[in-house]
Amino acid sequence: MSVAPMPVSTPLPAALAGRTVLVIGGSSGIGLAAGELLRSLGARVVLVARDKARLDAAVAHCLAVPGATHDDPVLGIAADAGDELELDRVFQQAGPVDHVLVTAGGFQVGPLDATPRADVQDAVDSRLWGAYAVARAAAPRLPAGGSITFTSGLYATRPLPGMAAAVAAIGAVEALTKALAVELAPRRVRVNAVRYGVFDTPLARGALGAATDEAVAEAGRAFLPGRLGTPAEAAAAPIFLMSDNYVSGAVIPVDGGQSLV
Ligand SMILES: NC(=O)c1ccc[n+]([C@@H]2O[C@H](COP(=O)([O-])OP(=O)(O)OC[C@H]3O[C@@H](n4cnc5c(N)ncnc54)[C@H](OP(=O)(O)O)[C@@H]3O)[C@@H](O)[C@H]2O)c1
């Protein structure tokens, strides 16, 4: 049976108006910024995260986005994205979804000779299995031209000592991105990933031990742009990947040029 080619869409964020985007990891950082941007573009936004109180605050935040004139409510669904049954419930509650962005995922560090197997398994579960399970739940539900966008990190190609398990797990997500772009192409579903440098989110503040704005500014001076990226700067990349129906299997670096030095 022949499958119709990928539909043509305008490769501009305007293409997302009226579309539904599920943001898994949408209560904080890059996911929350993506929710805000998507709403300002007229998309219907569904945010997913585990902590209900933080999720409710994120929904309220997105609802208050200036210039969002459409009436669609922002939906928040509390769930653990690593659990297939929970993911099934998420998709049922969300209704028809066009694009999925996955920003959920931890980054456990530890040296080779002192990381217990359970921690290595955790790294794989939270990253690789998390992405795999989302793709498995999303693939049969997405329309032609729909997309899944995963997140990776600069450490996948420029690792530091003492983070082998986490780096291997994010590298696996990049490989998964390309494998699924091929496997899901007959459904006309696209799969991409963004490889991030350091952005000013709660996760990065914790990792850098930078609790205050001054500490963040100090940490950012070492980076090529002289500062950390903002969550909105990070969130613009997955929005591009969702919008352009001719991008699939791409892993795009968004790191302020940090991969060059
Ligand atoms: N910020 C950076 O500098 C940077 C750099 C490289 C890569 N990244 C990657 O980019 C992604 C987003 O980072 P971020 O800085 O925005 O992180 P963040 O601020 O910590 O946000 C992570 C979000 O994911 C949710 N989440 C985590 N585990 C989940 C699960 N099992 N099920 C559902 N939701 C879950 C969290 O909410 P709950 O905890 O309530 O579930 C939260 O909403 C991460 O994968 C991170 O590793 C970030």
Side-chain angles (χ1 to χ4, degrees), residues 2-248:
S2 78
V3 180
M6 185 73 73
V8 175
S9 73
T10 165
L12 296 170
L16 296 174
R19 304 288 178 197
T20 295
V21 183
L22 189 64
V23 184
I24 298 180
S27 70
S28 173
I30 298 167
L32 175 56
E36 291 174 46
L37 272 178
L38 286 160
R39 187 160 159 80
S40 75
L41 294 168
R44 178 176 164 260
V45 177
V46 183
L47 304 179
V48 178
R50 293 165 299 180
D51 185 292
K52 176 83 168 68
R54 200 156 66 135
L55 182 63
D56 288 346
V59 168
H61 200 73
C62 286
L63 280 171
V65 166
T69 50
H70 60 107
D71 295 330
D72 277 340
V74 176
L75 191 60
I77 304 174
D80 184 340
D83 181 320
E84 280 195 286
L85 288 177
E86 298 245 304
L87 278 173
D88 194 50
R89 174 175 64 82
V90 165
F91 277 92
Q92 283 183 27
Q93 278 182 241
V97 167
D98 297 286
H99 303 281
V100 179
L101 168 62
V102 186
T103 60
F107 195 82
Q108 299 87 344
V109 294
L112 177 67
D113 49 6
T115 302
R117 180 178 177 151
D119 288 7
V120 177
Q121 191 65 53
D122 274 356
V124 172
D125 282 350
S126 79
R127 283 283 163 187
L128 179 58
W129 169 247
Y132 199 100
V134 169
R136 188 140 77 184
R141 294 165 156 119
L142 293 177
S147 73
I148 303 167
T149 304
F150 296 128
T151 47
S152 164
L154 184 57
Y155 293 138
T157 52
R158 296 195 60 197
L160 296 175
M163 50 174 66
V167 165
I170 57 172
V173 170
E174 294 195 1
L176 180 71
T177 299
K178 293 176 187 296
L180 291 182
V182 173
E183 185 165 334
L184 300 184
R187 304 180 195 217
R188 304 300 180 231
V189 167
R190 301 174 297 112
V191 186
N192 295 293
V194 184
R195 185 191 297 147
Y196 285 118
V198 186
F199 287 83
D200 183 8
T201 68
L203 180 84
R205 284 188 178 223
L208 293 168
T212 64
D213 291 345
E214 291 71 26
V216 168
E218 180 55 35
R221 275 190 257 286
F223 294 93
L224 281 189
R227 62 170 175 81
L228 303 193
T230 68
E233 287 170 331
I239 286 168
F240 157 69
L241 293 171
M242 288 172 206
S243 309
D244 192 330
N245 276 7
Y246 216 69
V247 184
S248 193

